[in-house]
Amino acid sequence: MSTVLEHQPGVVAEAPRRGVRAFLSQAIRDRPASAVGAAVLFLFIAIALLAPYISPYGARERVGDVYAPPSGSHWLGLDDGGIDMVTLLMWGARVSLTVGFTATLISIVVGGLVGITAGYFGGWTDTVLMRITDYFLVIPEVPLMIVIAAIWGPSLSHIILVIGLLLWTYTARVLRAQVKSVRERVYVKRARSLGASNVRIVFRHVLPQIAPLMVANTVLTIAVAIFDETALAFLGLGDPSKISWGKIIENATSASAISAGAWWAIVPPGICVALVILSCTLIGQALEDALNPRLRVAHLAAKGFRIRPIVSERA
Amino acid sequence: MRGADYVIKRTVFALVTVFVAITINFIIFRAAPGSAITNLSRVPGATPALRAELQREFGLDKSKWQQYVIYLGQLGRGNLGVSFSSQEPVADELKRAVVNTIPMVLLGTVFAIVFGTITGVLAAWRRRTAVDYASVTTALFFYSLPTQWLGLMLLLLAAGKLPSGGRVDPFLFNPSIVQHMVDVLEHMVLPSATLGLVLYGEYTLVARSAMLETLGEDYILTARAKGLPDRTIVRRHALRNAMLPVTTLMALSMGYIVAGSILIERVFSWPGIGQAVFSAVRDRDWPMLQGAFLLLTLSVVFFNYVADLLYFKLDPRISE
């Protein structure tokens, strides 16, 4: 975004090379909530992977009355088609997490490419790439996603692409700032004077330094992607043949679960989304904190908080 | 002068962004392959006269480049085409929608700014105390909730106590001005509260981290060394500087507000710009979607620009 906001999020001073384990244990020690977040996230991943084996009923199987309330055999009741809610949530986890992870992968690849190229080469490459990034940062993503998804037609792959291709700006900015500082370090200069190629320097010396930051960023982006998926689904832009958490919320809303008093059709999917987003936020923050030594000194402990996923991707 | 430089730079950036947004809008809706979308004149059920007029106005039989130029010209005159669903000019429909959206969004945003800033500052001031943990937890909680879902939850909780949708009660016969105001306010409570609560989390977190950062500055240490009371330090020295990021956030959250209002207006059937986007998507009303998207984008660009200038006014150190 604007120069004003160049908060240089998460620029790390000379980060000492520590083992991954030491790094993680420090992140957990400083922010114990992140361990809980990780546990919750892994639980959801496990559920998503095992959905076909552990879901009590079929995801399209009518097992009782419309909006039957929670009971012993259906812990969270039934939806407007008489389908078991627990089953739906498990299958929903599959699609929601798939969207979250794949869209994030796309955005990290694009953002990483742009950020590293801009930061590493500097000069006019940097100027051009960052200008483009700036424009993308200002134009609100969700309306743009809505427009593209509406024209392109609802399908899971379209949604993943739309979200992935519009979420890379923040990653690009963060990584660029970091690469710019890594590039100036003595060992990189030495490698260059020894005749190492750009590709080699980037892969051998720059990437390992920015990898932790990339991981922190990835985790935060997953939350945004899942959030955006629920938003698109809520506006009727979800893949009609796929059950996601967003789709379950949308479906219950359209089928007037509220006026029917069927809270069980609407409360649980939202809690699932919120739990995943909260977990990702906690993990991402803990990683960012552990990366930034400044934060360990109490009175310096402040950082640009990542502004709400949905549109403003700036710190 | 460097200040003038800064203002000029930001102005040029804003203008170019406007141009980029307008062009993206044209490319997505007109230049994209797919005949139904790209043809503005295919208003379902329209008279041949209306079609012919749209054909002529937007030069739809000409090349894409010519169409682009004509599009820019028509845009300058505020002509955005005709809505497919209502067959009325898109610009008129949008005007009506925006007038409805603004008060609802304003109420929610003001709530978030006031309360978010207060709790954020308090949390930073009382760092590592129960106050801090409680406000951060609350903020993170609201920050994590899907907007539309929070709206639905409020709807469930307020069922029967507050109106569940719309802007006014259609059965209120011949209301007095006071009755009308009360009616509108009652309808506004839930959507505004939804937006307010979601934004609240964000403002708290930003205000807190800004305040923490400021409290770590040297001049605060100096003030402390002078023996100034805590209250004075916070109020006279820290607060002013900590408000800088919060000011920027006010403009930056515009983008979020825009997206949030689309979801919120769908939940509460609030007849604003968000509802317009939703029904345009549902009814495949392309001219309407195009107009709404342009309006939303331009408002975000505009508020970003205002933020830049405001920030400069508040913090003269910025002049890069």
Side-chain angles (χ1 to χ4, degrees):
Chain A
M1 227 284 9
S2 53
T3 43
V4 174
L5 293 158
E6 278 186 34
H7 217 62
Q8 305 283 340
V11 172
V12 181
E14 202 72 36
R17 280 273 199 130
R18 279 172 296 166
V20 174
R21 196 170 295 170
F23 175 74
L24 286 181
S25 68
Q26 153 143 37
I28 292 171
R29 202 169 26 190
D30 287 354
R31 287 199 176 223
S34 65
V36 181
V40 172
L41 192 61
F42 279 116
L43 179 69
F44 274 112
I45 294 174
I47 289 175
L49 289 174
L50 298 173
Y53 311 105
I54 59 171
S55 63
Y57 302 92
R60 316 224 170 257
E61 181 191 356
R62 188 178 173 133
V63 289
D65 289 341
V66 168
Y67 288 140
S71 63
S73 48
H74 306 288
W75 290 357
L76 292 174
L78 304 182
D79 81 342
D80 62 296
I83 298 169
D84 181 54
M85 278 303 295
V86 175
T87 307
L88 278 176
L89 289 176
M90 288 179 169
W91 285 90
R94 255 171 118 77
V95 176
S96 288
L97 291 182
T98 307
V99 173
F101 283 93
T102 5
T104 302
L105 183 69
I106 296 173
S107 93
I108 295 293
V109 169
V110 177
L113 271 176
V114 173
I116 294 173
T117 315
Y120 184 77
F121 290 105
W124 65 266
T125 322
D126 185 25
T127 314
V128 171
L129 285 176
M130 281 305 111
R131 262 300 119 79
I132 296 174
T133 313
D134 282 350
Y135 294 126
F136 270 99
L137 268 174
V138 179
I139 291 172
E141 297 139 18
V142 168
L144 190 55
M145 283 179 195
I146 292 171
V147 162
I148 298 177
I151 290 179
W152 209 357
S155 111
L156 197 62
S157 56
H158 291 177
I159 287 168
I160 290 173
L161 276 173
V162 165
I163 296 177
L165 290 178
L166 290 176
L167 281 188
W168 56 269
T169 39
Y170 180 80
T171 312
R173 272 224 162 271
V174 174
L175 291 184
R176 167 188 172 261
Q178 185 63 24
V179 170
K180 264 182 119 75
S181 88
V182 171
R183 188 179 65 147
E184 298 306 325
R185 293 188 192 157
V186 182
Y187 62 86
V188 174
K189 290 191 165 155
R190 261 187 220 143
R192 192 173 297 137
S193 60
L194 283 173
S197 70
N198 286 332
V199 175
R200 189 183 156 81
I201 294 176
V202 167
F203 277 93
R204 291 271 318 180
H205 301 290
V206 177
L207 264 184
Q209 284 292 323
I210 62 167
L213 194 65
M214 267 178 123
V215 174
N217 200 259
T218 306
V219 185
L220 290 171
T221 310
I222 292 172
V224 188
I226 291 180
F227 198 101
D228 288 352
E229 191 275 333
T230 65
L232 289 179
F234 193 66
L235 298 172
L237 293 167
D239 189 329
S241 66
K242 298 281 193 301
I243 305 156
S244 71
W245 289 333
K247 186 88 191 136
I248 301 174
I249 297 176
E250 193 275 330
N251 199 33
T253 314
S254 309
S256 46
I258 297 268
S259 44
W263 56 266
W264 53 88
I266 242 168
V267 177
I271 291 180
C272 290
V273 177
L275 279 177
V276 170
I277 292 178
L278 189 60
S279 306
C280 290
T281 312
L282 291 174
I283 300 169
Q285 276 179 8
L287 289 176
E288 277 188 345
D289 281 5
L291 279 172
N292 195 341
R294 213 173 112 90
L295 298 175
R296 251 168 273 139
V297 187
H299 76 280
L300 293 176
K303 68 195 187 67
F305 197 88
R306 185 174 188 195
I307 293 174
R308 182 157 203 93
I310 239 182
V311 185
S312 29
E313 288 275 308
R314 314 126 235 216
Chain B
M1 207 188 112
R2 295 188 63 159
D5 248 25
Y6 174 82
V7 173
I8 291 171
K9 257 192 185 163
R10 297 324 302 164
T11 310
V12 170
F13 177 78
L15 289 177
V16 176
T17 315
V18 167
F19 179 72
V20 170
I22 289 175
T23 309
I24 288 181
N25 204 28
F26 177 81
I27 294 174
I28 293 179
F29 284 96
R30 307 279 193 83
S35 52
I37 298 161
T38 55
N39 197 336
L40 271 182
S41 70
R42 284 201 195 162
V43 183
T47 57
L50 177 63
R51 284 183 196 216
E53 197 192 320
L54 283 167
Q55 279 274 359
R56 191 181 48 75
E57 266 182 14
F58 288 93
L60 296 176
D61 48 353
K62 303 204 172 86
S63 77
K64 291 284 180 210
W65 282 112
Q66 281 168 307
Q67 281 192 38
Y68 178 61
V69 176
I70 295 169
Y71 161 77
L72 291 180
Q74 293 290 353
L75 208 59
R77 259 168 268 151
N79 185 355
L80 292 165
V82 170
S83 159
F84 281 4
S85 339
S86 67
Q87 299 201 10
E88 281 190 52
V90 168
D92 296 356
E93 296 250 320
L94 286 179
K95 250 178 250 159
R96 245 167 291 164
V98 168
V99 170
N100 287 339
T101 295
I102 288 174
M104 186 271 283
V105 164
L106 211 59
L107 188 65
T109 314
V110 169
F111 168 87
I113 291 173
V114 172
F115 288 94
T117 315
I118 292 176
T119 41
V121 167
L122 274 180
W125 189 7
R126 301 267 174 258
R127 186 172 154 73
R128 289 179 195 278
T129 63
V131 178
D132 186 20
Y133 293 124
S135 50
V136 169
T137 312
T138 322
L140 268 177
F141 171 74
F142 282 116
Y143 182 81
S144 303
L145 296 182
T147 316
Q148 70 276 30
W149 186 75
L150 178 61
L152 292 167
M153 288 305 102
L154 293 183
L155 208 51
L156 269 176
L157 291 176
K161 292 178 209 104
L162 283 167
S164 65
R167 198 180 74 91
V168 288
D169 185 353
F171 300 111
L172 204 60
F173 181 69
N174 213 359
S176 68
I177 293 181
V178 178
Q179 268 177 321
H180 177 72
M181 296 275 280
V182 171
D183 185 38
V184 171
L185 266 178
E186 271 185 351
H187 281 81
M188 205 147 74
V189 171
L190 289 182
S192 293
T194 311
L195 186 68
L197 286 175
V198 177
L199 285 176
Y200 164 81
E202 190 171 330
Y203 274 102
T204 305
L205 295 169
V206 172
R208 177 176 175 273
S209 67
M211 192 65 184
L212 279 179
E213 190 154 4
T214 320
L215 287 177
E217 299 282 352
D218 289 343
Y219 59 82
I220 298 293
L221 200 62
T222 312
R224 212 163 263 157
K226 281 199 304 192
L228 290 181
D230 228 22
R231 195 174 286 269
T232 315
I233 295 176
V234 167
R235 212 185 293 151
R236 302 240 0 221
H237 297 270
L239 203 55
R240 290 176 179 211
N241 283 303
M243 282 310 99
L244 286 175
V246 177
T247 319
T248 334
L249 180 67
M250 284 183 205
L252 284 188
S253 48
M254 258 314 282
Y256 171 65
I257 292 170
V258 157
S261 71
I262 299 176
L263 298 167
I264 291 169
E265 288 185 6
R266 201 236 134 154
V267 173
F268 297 101
S269 327
W270 187 264
I273 189 89
Q275 180 75 16
V277 170
F278 171 64
S279 31
V281 167
R282 188 193 51 204
D283 306 336
R284 308 252 171 276
D285 186 349
W286 306 119
M288 195 65 194
L289 186 59
Q290 187 176 5
F293 173 66
L294 189 66
L295 185 68
L296 293 178
T297 311
L298 294 188
S299 58
V300 172
V301 173
F302 172 75
F303 280 98
N304 271 297
Y305 177 61
V306 172
D308 281 348
L309 296 189
L310 200 63
Y311 204 101
F312 177 67
K313 189 112 183 75
L314 294 174
D315 187 357
R317 286 172 301 179
I318 298 287
S319 56
E320 190 241 28

